[in-house]
């Protein structure tokens, strides 16, 4: 998310892009449906992920506002040509991994077991503990699709 924030900062773009969020959601939910996952619980998870992505980008912008922005040209990929296609790939991978981990996620002990390790293992800058816990809780609510 630092690269996304850096691109928007340099180009003077707003963090929120509702049109892009619609595309991301549509793609992720269609992949979820194909994988036999419950679309509503996946929607809740992806909406939370988007909200957190925006909070993390805002934190970067606040830092650069107070401390200045030092552009690393090698670290400045293009949002449309490079970052967004990579984010779509990551989204598809997340759906596959959730499908694979579903039995584990639905285990009653999953939340309590993961909560203590997630704050150590997830080290993304500006990703606060409360966001990590919300993500875990949302993951634990994901179900398989009901068959008629
Ligand atoms: O593609 C972007 O511009 C992003 O910041 C990523 C993302 C997302 O999580 O998919 C997050 C916020 C924007 O409103 C749109 C999409």
């Amino acid at each position: 998310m630092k690269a996304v924030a850096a691109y928007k900062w340099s180009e003077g773009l707003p963090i929120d892009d509702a049109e892009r969020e619609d595309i991301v959601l549509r793609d992720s939910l269609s992949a979820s449906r194909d994988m036999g996952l419950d679309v509503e619980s996946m929607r809740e998870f992806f909406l939370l992920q988007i909200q957190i992505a925006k909070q993390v980008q805002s934190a970067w912008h606040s830092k650069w506002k107070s401390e200045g922005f030092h552009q690393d040209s090698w670290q400045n990929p293009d949002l449309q040509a490079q970052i967004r296609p990579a984010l779509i790939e990551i989204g598809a991978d997340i759906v596959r991994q959730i499908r694979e981990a579903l039995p584990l996620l639905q285990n009653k002990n999953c939340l309590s077991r993961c909560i203590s390790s997630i704050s150590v293992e997830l080290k993304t800058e500006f990703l606060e503990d409360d966001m990590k816990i919300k993500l875990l809780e949302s993951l634990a609510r994901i179900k398989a699709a009901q068959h008629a």
Side-chain angles (χ1 to χ4, degrees), residues 1 4-5 7-8 13-25 28 46-55 57 79-80 83-84 87-88:
M1 277 307 133
V4 181
Y7 183 91
K8 290 176 180 172
L13 293 172
I15 287 172
D16 281 56
D17 185 335
E19 212 176 299
R20 181 62 188 173
E21 290 179 21
D22 287 345
I23 295 172
V24 168
L25 262 185
S28 319
F46 276 108
L47 282 173
L48 179 63
Q49 211 184 244
I50 291 171
Q51 184 203 320
I52 291 174
K54 292 193 283 194
Q55 281 176 250
Q57 291 179 50
L79 182 64
Q80 279 79 18
I83 305 175
R84 284 182 169 167
L87 289 178
I88 289 289

mmCIF file of all heavy atoms in Angstrom, residues 1 4-5 7-8 13-25 28 46-55 57 79-80 83-84 87-88, ligand 1:
data_model
loop_
_atom_site.group_PDB
_atom_site.id
_atom_site.type_symbol
_atom_site.label_atom_id
_atom_site.label_comp_id
_atom_site.label_asym_id
_atom_site.label_seq_id
_atom_site.Cartn_x
_atom_site.Cartn_y
_atom_site.Cartn_z
ATOM 1 N N MET A 1 0.807 -1.218 0.000
ATOM 2 C CA MET A 1 0.000 0.000 0.000
ATOM 3 C C MET A 1 0.845 1.275 0.000
ATOM 4 O O MET A 1 0.379 2.331 -0.368
ATOM 5 C CB MET A 1 -0.936 -0.002 1.214
ATOM 6 C CG MET A 1 -2.201 -0.787 0.966
ATOM 7 S SD MET A 1 -3.055 -0.239 -0.537
ATOM 8 C CE MET A 1 -3.407 -1.775 -1.325
ATOM 9 N N VAL A 4 1.087 2.451 -3.555
ATOM 10 C CA VAL A 4 -0.162 3.085 -4.009
ATOM 11 C C VAL A 4 -0.223 4.509 -3.441
ATOM 12 O O VAL A 4 -0.521 5.475 -4.148
ATOM 13 C CB VAL A 4 -1.405 2.280 -3.548
ATOM 14 C CG1 VAL A 4 -2.687 2.930 -4.047
ATOM 15 C CG2 VAL A 4 -1.333 0.835 -4.019
ATOM 16 N N ALA A 5 0.078 4.618 -2.138
ATOM 17 C CA ALA A 5 0.042 5.930 -1.481
ATOM 18 C C ALA A 5 1.048 6.877 -2.127
ATOM 19 O O ALA A 5 0.740 8.055 -2.355
ATOM 20 C CB ALA A 5 0.341 5.763 0.015
ATOM 21 N N TYR A 7 2.245 6.827 -5.219
ATOM 22 C CA TYR A 7 1.790 7.236 -6.554
ATOM 23 C C TYR A 7 0.757 8.355 -6.422
ATOM 24 O O TYR A 7 0.842 9.391 -7.088
ATOM 25 C CB TYR A 7 1.199 6.032 -7.299
ATOM 26 C CG TYR A 7 0.772 6.374 -8.701
ATOM 27 C CD1 TYR A 7 1.646 6.224 -9.771
ATOM 28 C CD2 TYR A 7 -0.511 6.875 -8.958
ATOM 29 C CE1 TYR A 7 1.272 6.563 -11.059
ATOM 30 C CE2 TYR A 7 -0.898 7.225 -10.240
ATOM 31 C CZ TYR A 7 -0.008 7.066 -11.284
ATOM 32 O OH TYR A 7 -0.389 7.404 -12.562
ATOM 33 N N LYS A 8 -0.225 8.135 -5.530
ATOM 34 C CA LYS A 8 -1.296 9.139 -5.386
ATOM 35 C C LYS A 8 -0.738 10.455 -4.830
ATOM 36 O O LYS A 8 -1.184 11.528 -5.216
ATOM 37 C CB LYS A 8 -2.401 8.589 -4.479
ATOM 38 C CG LYS A 8 -3.190 7.455 -5.151
ATOM 39 C CD LYS A 8 -4.217 6.847 -4.227
ATOM 40 C CE LYS A 8 -4.965 5.728 -4.950
ATOM 41 N NZ LYS A 8 -5.859 4.980 -4.038
ATOM 42 N N LEU A 13 -3.441 12.700 -6.417
ATOM 43 C CA LEU A 13 -4.736 12.004 -6.543
ATOM 44 C C LEU A 13 -5.341 11.728 -5.177
ATOM 45 O O LEU A 13 -4.613 11.520 -4.199
ATOM 46 C CB LEU A 13 -4.524 10.651 -7.260
ATOM 47 C CG LEU A 13 -4.101 10.691 -8.724
ATOM 48 C CD1 LEU A 13 -3.740 9.294 -9.203
ATOM 49 C CD2 LEU A 13 -5.238 11.267 -9.566
ATOM 50 N N PRO A 14 -6.686 11.693 -5.086
ATOM 51 C CA PRO A 14 -7.310 11.337 -3.800
ATOM 52 C C PRO A 14 -7.095 9.850 -3.490
ATOM 53 O O PRO A 14 -6.898 9.041 -4.406
ATOM 54 C CB PRO A 14 -8.801 11.620 -4.040
ATOM 55 C CG PRO A 14 -8.982 11.550 -5.512
ATOM 56 C CD PRO A 14 -7.670 11.948 -6.140
ATOM 57 N N ILE A 15 -7.148 9.514 -2.222
ATOM 58 C CA ILE A 15 -6.968 8.109 -1.824
ATOM 59 C C ILE A 15 -8.172 7.275 -2.264
ATOM 60 O O ILE A 15 -8.023 6.173 -2.788
ATOM 61 C CB ILE A 15 -6.730 8.024 -0.297
ATOM 62 C CG1 ILE A 15 -5.318 8.535 0.009
ATOM 63 C CG2 ILE A 15 -6.919 6.585 0.214
ATOM 64 C CD1 ILE A 15 -4.991 8.698 1.473
ATOM 65 N N ASP A 16 -9.351 7.802 -2.067
ATOM 66 C CA ASP A 16 -10.576 7.061 -2.409
ATOM 67 C C ASP A 16 -10.813 7.029 -3.911
ATOM 68 O O ASP A 16 -10.755 8.070 -4.565
ATOM 69 C CB ASP A 16 -11.792 7.739 -1.777
ATOM 70 C CG ASP A 16 -11.913 7.394 -0.322
ATOM 71 O OD1 ASP A 16 -10.952 7.630 0.433
ATOM 72 O OD2 ASP A 16 -12.972 6.871 0.076
ATOM 73 N N ASP A 17 -11.109 5.842 -4.433
ATOM 74 C CA ASP A 17 -11.492 5.712 -5.832
ATOM 75 C C ASP A 17 -12.653 4.705 -5.888
ATOM 76 O O ASP A 17 -12.431 3.495 -5.988
ATOM 77 C CB ASP A 17 -10.280 5.238 -6.650
ATOM 78 C CG ASP A 17 -10.573 5.192 -8.145
ATOM 79 O OD1 ASP A 17 -11.756 5.053 -8.526
ATOM 80 O OD2 ASP A 17 -9.615 5.296 -8.935
ATOM 81 N N ALA A 18 -13.868 5.244 -5.788
ATOM 82 C CA ALA A 18 -15.058 4.391 -5.661
ATOM 83 C C ALA A 18 -15.232 3.493 -6.887
ATOM 84 O O ALA A 18 -15.618 2.328 -6.768
ATOM 85 C CB ALA A 18 -16.294 5.262 -5.459
ATOM 86 N N GLU A 19 -14.908 4.044 -8.056
ATOM 87 C CA GLU A 19 -15.070 3.268 -9.293
ATOM 88 C C GLU A 19 -14.141 2.051 -9.284
ATOM 89 O O GLU A 19 -14.527 0.946 -9.651
ATOM 90 C CB GLU A 19 -14.700 4.180 -10.462
ATOM 91 C CG GLU A 19 -15.460 3.916 -11.731
ATOM 92 C CD GLU A 19 -15.074 4.958 -12.780
ATOM 93 O OE1 GLU A 19 -15.304 6.158 -12.539
ATOM 94 O OE2 GLU A 19 -14.508 4.555 -13.794
ATOM 95 N N ARG A 20 -12.912 2.273 -8.827
ATOM 96 C CA ARG A 20 -11.944 1.176 -8.743
ATOM 97 C C ARG A 20 -12.395 0.134 -7.698
ATOM 98 O O ARG A 20 -12.254 -1.066 -7.901
ATOM 99 C CB ARG A 20 -10.565 1.732 -8.368
ATOM 100 C CG ARG A 20 -9.484 0.695 -8.270
ATOM 101 C CD ARG A 20 -9.250 0.009 -9.596
ATOM 102 N NE ARG A 20 -8.340 -1.113 -9.477
ATOM 103 C CZ ARG A 20 -8.065 -1.969 -10.463
ATOM 104 N NH1 ARG A 20 -8.631 -1.799 -11.649
ATOM 105 N NH2 ARG A 20 -7.240 -2.954 -10.279
ATOM 106 N N GLU A 21 -12.937 0.618 -6.587
ATOM 107 C CA GLU A 21 -13.406 -0.314 -5.548
ATOM 108 C C GLU A 21 -14.485 -1.241 -6.111
ATOM 109 O O GLU A 21 -14.501 -2.436 -5.809
ATOM 110 C CB GLU A 21 -13.948 0.466 -4.343
ATOM 111 C CG GLU A 21 -12.839 1.167 -3.573
ATOM 112 C CD GLU A 21 -13.347 1.973 -2.388
ATOM 113 O OE1 GLU A 21 -14.476 1.711 -1.902
ATOM 114 O OE2 GLU A 21 -12.613 2.886 -1.944
ATOM 115 N N ASP A 22 -15.365 -0.683 -6.953
ATOM 116 C CA ASP A 22 -16.420 -1.509 -7.568
ATOM 117 C C ASP A 22 -15.802 -2.618 -8.424
ATOM 118 O O ASP A 22 -16.256 -3.757 -8.400
ATOM 119 C CB ASP A 22 -17.346 -0.655 -8.446
ATOM 120 C CG ASP A 22 -18.259 0.222 -7.596
ATOM 121 O OD1 ASP A 22 -18.367 -0.038 -6.381
ATOM 122 O OD2 ASP A 22 -18.847 1.165 -8.158
ATOM 123 N N ILE A 23 -14.759 -2.246 -9.185
ATOM 124 C CA ILE A 23 -14.103 -3.241 -10.053
ATOM 125 C C ILE A 23 -13.435 -4.331 -9.213
ATOM 126 O O ILE A 23 -13.581 -5.529 -9.476
ATOM 127 C CB ILE A 23 -13.060 -2.548 -10.977
ATOM 128 C CG1 ILE A 23 -13.757 -1.606 -11.951
ATOM 129 C CG2 ILE A 23 -12.193 -3.567 -11.709
ATOM 130 C CD1 ILE A 23 -12.832 -0.731 -12.775
ATOM 131 N N VAL A 24 -12.727 -3.897 -8.162
ATOM 132 C CA VAL A 24 -12.014 -4.853 -7.292
ATOM 133 C C VAL A 24 -13.013 -5.808 -6.639
ATOM 134 O O VAL A 24 -12.817 -7.037 -6.615
ATOM 135 C CB VAL A 24 -11.198 -4.087 -6.219
ATOM 136 C CG1 VAL A 24 -10.684 -5.018 -5.128
ATOM 137 C CG2 VAL A 24 -10.035 -3.345 -6.872
ATOM 138 N N LEU A 25 -14.113 -5.237 -6.127
ATOM 139 C CA LEU A 25 -15.133 -6.069 -5.467
ATOM 140 C C LEU A 25 -15.753 -7.052 -6.453
ATOM 141 O O LEU A 25 -15.921 -8.226 -6.150
ATOM 142 C CB LEU A 25 -16.234 -5.185 -4.908
ATOM 143 C CG LEU A 25 -16.170 -4.838 -3.426
ATOM 144 C CD1 LEU A 25 -17.406 -4.056 -3.029
ATOM 145 C CD2 LEU A 25 -16.028 -6.079 -2.550
ATOM 146 N N SER A 28 -13.248 -9.827 -7.206
ATOM 147 C CA SER A 28 -12.990 -10.713 -6.057
ATOM 148 C C SER A 28 -14.212 -11.570 -5.750
ATOM 149 O O SER A 28 -14.078 -12.753 -5.411
ATOM 150 C CB SER A 28 -12.661 -9.917 -4.798
ATOM 151 O OG SER A 28 -11.840 -8.856 -5.098
ATOM 152 N N PHE A 46 -13.772 -8.301 1.955
ATOM 153 C CA PHE A 46 -13.091 -7.427 0.996
ATOM 154 C C PHE A 46 -13.376 -5.946 1.264
ATOM 155 O O PHE A 46 -12.500 -5.101 1.082
ATOM 156 C CB PHE A 46 -13.441 -7.814 -0.449
ATOM 157 C CG PHE A 46 -12.570 -8.941 -0.947
ATOM 158 C CD1 PHE A 46 -13.088 -10.213 -1.129
ATOM 159 C CD2 PHE A 46 -11.219 -8.744 -1.192
ATOM 160 C CE1 PHE A 46 -12.274 -11.265 -1.562
ATOM 161 C CE2 PHE A 46 -10.395 -9.778 -1.621
ATOM 162 C CZ PHE A 46 -10.926 -11.041 -1.806
ATOM 163 N N LEU A 47 -14.592 -5.637 1.734
ATOM 164 C CA LEU A 47 -14.896 -4.234 2.072
ATOM 165 C C LEU A 47 -13.998 -3.764 3.217
ATOM 166 O O LEU A 47 -13.495 -2.640 3.215
ATOM 167 C CB LEU A 47 -16.374 -4.077 2.455
ATOM 168 C CG LEU A 47 -17.358 -4.054 1.285
ATOM 169 C CD1 LEU A 47 -18.806 -4.069 1.791
ATOM 170 C CD2 LEU A 47 -17.136 -2.801 0.414
ATOM 171 N N LEU A 48 -13.800 -4.652 4.188
ATOM 172 C CA LEU A 48 -12.927 -4.312 5.306
ATOM 173 C C LEU A 48 -11.493 -4.113 4.817
ATOM 174 O O LEU A 48 -10.802 -3.165 5.217
ATOM 175 C CB LEU A 48 -12.994 -5.436 6.350
ATOM 176 C CG LEU A 48 -12.122 -5.263 7.582
ATOM 177 C CD1 LEU A 48 -12.542 -4.043 8.395
ATOM 178 C CD2 LEU A 48 -12.187 -6.519 8.459
ATOM 179 N N GLN A 49 -11.059 -4.996 3.918
ATOM 180 C CA GLN A 49 -9.700 -4.886 3.396
ATOM 181 C C GLN A 49 -9.495 -3.560 2.658
ATOM 182 O O GLN A 49 -8.464 -2.905 2.820
ATOM 183 C CB GLN A 49 -9.473 -6.056 2.447
ATOM 184 C CG GLN A 49 -8.043 -6.485 2.452
ATOM 185 C CD GLN A 49 -7.805 -7.577 1.455
ATOM 186 O OE1 GLN A 49 -7.460 -8.668 1.854
ATOM 187 N NE2 GLN A 49 -7.971 -7.296 0.197
ATOM 188 N N ILE A 50 -10.500 -3.142 1.894
ATOM 189 C CA ILE A 50 -10.403 -1.870 1.171
ATOM 190 C C ILE A 50 -10.346 -0.701 2.163
ATOM 191 O O ILE A 50 -9.548 0.227 2.028
ATOM 192 C CB ILE A 50 -11.591 -1.716 0.188
ATOM 193 C CG1 ILE A 50 -11.451 -2.721 -0.965
ATOM 194 C CG2 ILE A 50 -11.689 -0.290 -0.348
ATOM 195 C CD1 ILE A 50 -12.672 -2.825 -1.887
ATOM 196 N N GLN A 51 -11.198 -0.788 3.196
ATOM 197 C CA GLN A 51 -11.231 0.281 4.212
ATOM 198 C C GLN A 51 -9.860 0.386 4.901
ATOM 199 O O GLN A 51 -9.320 1.482 5.093
ATOM 200 C CB GLN A 51 -12.319 -0.070 5.225
ATOM 201 C CG GLN A 51 -12.549 0.976 6.297
ATOM 202 C CD GLN A 51 -13.195 0.347 7.531
ATOM 203 O OE1 GLN A 51 -14.076 -0.507 7.410
ATOM 204 N NE2 GLN A 51 -12.743 0.741 8.701
ATOM 205 N N ILE A 52 -9.269 -0.756 5.216
ATOM 206 C CA ILE A 52 -7.959 -0.751 5.875
ATOM 207 C C ILE A 52 -6.880 -0.238 4.922
ATOM 208 O O ILE A 52 -5.993 0.524 5.308
ATOM 209 C CB ILE A 52 -7.638 -2.165 6.429
ATOM 210 C CG1 ILE A 52 -8.583 -2.462 7.599
ATOM 211 C CG2 ILE A 52 -6.177 -2.277 6.843
ATOM 212 C CD1 ILE A 52 -8.492 -3.869 8.146
ATOM 213 N N ALA A 53 -6.981 -0.624 3.640
ATOM 214 C CA ALA A 53 -6.005 -0.139 2.650
ATOM 215 C C ALA A 53 -6.026 1.394 2.618
ATOM 216 O O ALA A 53 -4.977 2.041 2.533
ATOM 217 C CB ALA A 53 -6.344 -0.709 1.266
ATOM 218 N N LYS A 54 -7.227 1.977 2.741
ATOM 219 C CA LYS A 54 -7.331 3.441 2.694
ATOM 220 C C LYS A 54 -6.769 4.067 3.972
ATOM 221 O O LYS A 54 -6.132 5.118 3.930
ATOM 222 C CB LYS A 54 -8.794 3.848 2.461
ATOM 223 C CG LYS A 54 -9.257 3.455 1.058
ATOM 224 C CD LYS A 54 -10.564 4.089 0.661
ATOM 225 C CE LYS A 54 -11.751 3.439 1.287
ATOM 226 N NZ LYS A 54 -13.018 3.855 0.627
ATOM 227 N N GLN A 55 -7.003 3.401 5.119
ATOM 228 C CA GLN A 55 -6.455 3.920 6.375
ATOM 229 C C GLN A 55 -4.928 3.911 6.337
ATOM 230 O O GLN A 55 -4.285 4.861 6.786
ATOM 231 C CB GLN A 55 -6.941 3.070 7.563
ATOM 232 C CG GLN A 55 -8.357 3.411 8.001
ATOM 233 C CD GLN A 55 -8.848 2.477 9.108
ATOM 234 O OE1 GLN A 55 -9.724 1.652 8.885
ATOM 235 N NE2 GLN A 55 -8.277 2.587 10.274
ATOM 236 N N GLN A 57 -3.019 4.013 3.623
ATOM 237 C CA GLN A 57 -2.568 5.057 2.685
ATOM 238 C C GLN A 57 -2.647 6.439 3.328
ATOM 239 O O GLN A 57 -1.746 7.267 3.158
ATOM 240 C CB GLN A 57 -3.414 5.023 1.410
ATOM 241 C CG GLN A 57 -3.172 3.788 0.551
ATOM 242 C CD GLN A 57 -4.054 3.796 -0.688
ATOM 243 O OE1 GLN A 57 -4.119 4.775 -1.419
ATOM 244 N NE2 GLN A 57 -4.738 2.688 -0.925
ATOM 245 N N LEU A 79 0.594 3.171 -11.118
ATOM 246 C CA LEU A 79 -0.608 2.607 -10.484
ATOM 247 C C LEU A 79 -1.413 1.756 -11.464
ATOM 248 O O LEU A 79 -1.738 0.593 -11.169
ATOM 249 C CB LEU A 79 -1.475 3.738 -9.913
ATOM 250 C CG LEU A 79 -2.745 3.308 -9.175
ATOM 251 C CD1 LEU A 79 -2.417 2.506 -7.924
ATOM 252 C CD2 LEU A 79 -3.597 4.525 -8.792
ATOM 253 N N GLN A 80 -1.724 2.317 -12.635
ATOM 254 C CA GLN A 80 -2.595 1.594 -13.583
ATOM 255 C C GLN A 80 -1.880 0.427 -14.243
ATOM 256 O O GLN A 80 -2.430 -0.669 -14.361
ATOM 257 C CB GLN A 80 -3.121 2.539 -14.682
ATOM 258 C CG GLN A 80 -4.312 3.370 -14.262
ATOM 259 C CD GLN A 80 -3.892 4.571 -13.410
ATOM 260 O OE1 GLN A 80 -2.723 4.953 -13.410
ATOM 261 N NE2 GLN A 80 -4.834 5.155 -12.682
ATOM 262 N N ILE A 83 0.771 -1.499 -10.503
ATOM 263 C CA ILE A 83 0.292 -1.830 -9.142
ATOM 264 C C ILE A 83 -1.080 -2.500 -9.174
ATOM 265 O O ILE A 83 -1.290 -3.540 -8.545
ATOM 266 C CB ILE A 83 0.245 -0.575 -8.242
ATOM 267 C CG1 ILE A 83 1.605 0.108 -8.205
ATOM 268 C CG2 ILE A 83 -0.212 -0.947 -6.842
ATOM 269 C CD1 ILE A 83 1.630 1.426 -7.445
ATOM 270 N N ARG A 84 -2.021 -1.902 -9.919
ATOM 271 C CA ARG A 84 -3.384 -2.460 -9.891
ATOM 272 C C ARG A 84 -3.459 -3.879 -10.456
ATOM 273 O O ARG A 84 -4.119 -4.727 -9.841
ATOM 274 C CB ARG A 84 -4.370 -1.504 -10.562
ATOM 275 C CG ARG A 84 -4.683 -0.337 -9.638
ATOM 276 C CD ARG A 84 -5.671 0.625 -10.208
ATOM 277 N NE ARG A 84 -6.127 1.571 -9.196
ATOM 278 C CZ ARG A 84 -6.808 2.665 -9.459
ATOM 279 N NH1 ARG A 84 -7.104 2.965 -10.706
ATOM 280 N NH2 ARG A 84 -7.199 3.452 -8.473
ATOM 281 N N LEU A 87 -2.340 -6.030 -7.727
ATOM 282 C CA LEU A 87 -3.329 -6.134 -6.637
ATOM 283 C C LEU A 87 -4.446 -7.118 -7.002
ATOM 284 O O LEU A 87 -4.941 -7.863 -6.152
ATOM 285 C CB LEU A 87 -3.925 -4.761 -6.306
ATOM 286 C CG LEU A 87 -2.988 -3.758 -5.608
ATOM 287 C CD1 LEU A 87 -3.705 -2.422 -5.386
ATOM 288 C CD2 LEU A 87 -2.488 -4.301 -4.274
ATOM 289 N N ILE A 88 -4.825 -7.134 -8.280
ATOM 290 C CA ILE A 88 -5.875 -8.078 -8.720
ATOM 291 C C ILE A 88 -5.369 -9.515 -8.567
ATOM 292 O O ILE A 88 -6.086 -10.403 -8.099
ATOM 293 C CB ILE A 88 -6.299 -7.774 -10.189
ATOM 294 C CG1 ILE A 88 -7.091 -6.471 -10.259
ATOM 295 C CG2 ILE A 88 -7.090 -8.934 -10.792
ATOM 296 C CD1 ILE A 88 -8.506 -6.498 -9.675
HETATM 297 O O1 LIG B 1 -6.318 0.891 -6.496
HETATM 298 C C1 LIG B 1 -6.245 1.773 -5.625
HETATM 299 O O2 LIG B 1 -6.211 2.988 -5.916
HETATM 300 C C2 LIG B 1 -6.195 1.427 -4.207
HETATM 301 O O3 LIG B 1 -5.955 2.266 -3.368
HETATM 302 C C3 LIG B 1 -6.571 0.059 -3.782
HETATM 303 C C4 LIG B 1 -8.034 0.018 -3.320
HETATM 304 C C5 LIG B 1 -8.280 -1.486 -2.984
HETATM 305 O O4 LIG B 1 -8.133 -1.879 -1.822
HETATM 306 O O5 LIG B 1 -8.534 -2.242 -3.912
HETATM 307 C C6 LIG B 1 -8.214 0.855 -2.106
HETATM 308 C C7 LIG B 1 -8.775 2.115 -2.154
HETATM 309 C C8 LIG B 1 -9.312 2.728 -3.367
HETATM 310 O O6 LIG B 1 -10.489 3.443 -3.099
HETATM 311 C C9 LIG B 1 -9.486 1.729 -4.444
HETATM 312 C C10 LIG B 1 -8.941 0.476 -4.402
#
